[in-house]
Amino acid sequence: VQLVESGGALVQPGGSLRLSCAASGFTFSSYGLKWYRQAPGKERELVAGITSGGSSRNYADSVKGRFTISRDNAKNTVYLQMNSLKPEDTAVYYCNVVIWGRYYWGQGTQVTVSS
């Protein structure tokens, strides 16, 4: 299993970014995917999740209405569209899949929101 995140950057408050996570090594369309983030000195937190077919999504209260998770099963990729970014969104963002009870993570991508 391999998960490779990309798209992180330095962005001003109020800006937007789209993160991508390219997956391989498993049957992508059969599994739900999640995005987590971890800010310095804080625990990793769940940001958003999407079911295998994409019909159901859930979000942390802190990002509802600003972030959108989506997936393209033909490209084995999950996305996180982030709008109206705030300084408190600054973190390393990770995608995650759980297969037979084992958690798999990518290397993460840094998002920094600062003026």
Side-chain angles (χ1 to χ4, degrees):
V1 174
Q2 188 173 19
L3 301 169
V4 180
E5 301 95 335
S6 61
L10 171 63
V11 63
Q12 292 188 343
S16 297
L17 281 176
R18 188 176 82 155
L19 306 183
S20 300
C21 173
S24 61
F26 63 102
T27 306
F28 183 80
S29 59
S30 295
Y31 293 91
L33 276 292
K34 294 182 174 67
W35 283 99
Y36 286 76
R37 68 185 180 187
Q38 187 166 20
K42 294 188 177 182
E43 292 186 355
R44 193 170 296 190
E45 63 172 349
L46 177 63
V47 175
I50 187 167
T51 53
S52 57
S55 60
S56 181
R57 310 171 191 190
N58 61 282
Y59 299 94
D61 287 344
S62 59
V63 307
K64 279 181 182 176
R66 300 188 298 122
F67 289 12
T68 302
I69 188 171
S70 62
R71 64 191 295 160
D72 186 335
N73 285 349
K75 295 183 178 180
N76 284 8
T77 301
V78 61
Y79 304 98
L80 186 67
Q81 177 67 43
M82 305 186 296
N83 299 329
S84 303
L85 283 161
K86 304 175 181 180
E88 50 264 43
D89 295 318
T90 295
V92 179
Y93 284 71
Y94 300 89
C95 64
N96 162 265
V97 65
V98 181
I99 301 173
W100 289 103
R102 180 174 177 178
Y103 283 66
Y104 294 89
W105 303 92
Q107 83 289 347
T109 187
Q110 176 70 48
V111 172
T112 303
V113 184
S114 175
S115 55

